[in-house]
Amino acid sequence: MGLLSFIVTLPLQPVKGVISLAELIPRQVEEEMHNPAAIRRGLEELEEARARGDITAEEEEQALIDRLTGSP
């Protein structure tokens, strides 16, 4: 019976894979957004951009606010 059920459900495997991926992606995004190392790296990148003169202090502040509020 195991072989028969495998053959019958084989066409559904791509759908199951897509469903698994759809469940995994939001978890990974949430984990990355709350990862202290990623947050620190983002802050360092903003600080370096301001030091180079690529952005102003106001733009840096707005980027921080956007990150904290989840705005794009």
Side-chain angles (χ1 to χ4, degrees):
M1 191 68 176
L3 181 60
L4 182 61
S5 64
F6 174 73
I7 292 171
V8 170
T9 60
L10 189 61
L12 297 176
Q13 293 305 314
V15 175
K16 288 181 180 181
V18 170
I19 291 171
S20 296
L21 196 58
E23 293 170 350
L24 177 69
I25 290 173
R27 277 187 282 170
Q28 287 296 108
V29 168
E30 189 71 25
E31 194 174 301
E32 181 68 22
M33 286 180 61
H34 292 78
N35 182 350
I39 294 170
R40 180 169 302 187
R41 191 170 44 251
L43 291 173
E44 289 171 354
E45 289 172 1
L46 280 173
E47 189 176 323
E48 289 172 4
R50 188 170 52 94
R52 287 191 309 265
D54 294 343
I55 61 173
T56 64
E58 291 80 20
E59 291 171 327
E60 180 184 25
E61 182 178 323
Q62 186 60 49
L64 291 171
I65 292 169
D66 291 344
R67 181 174 178 96
L68 289 172
T69 60
S71 301

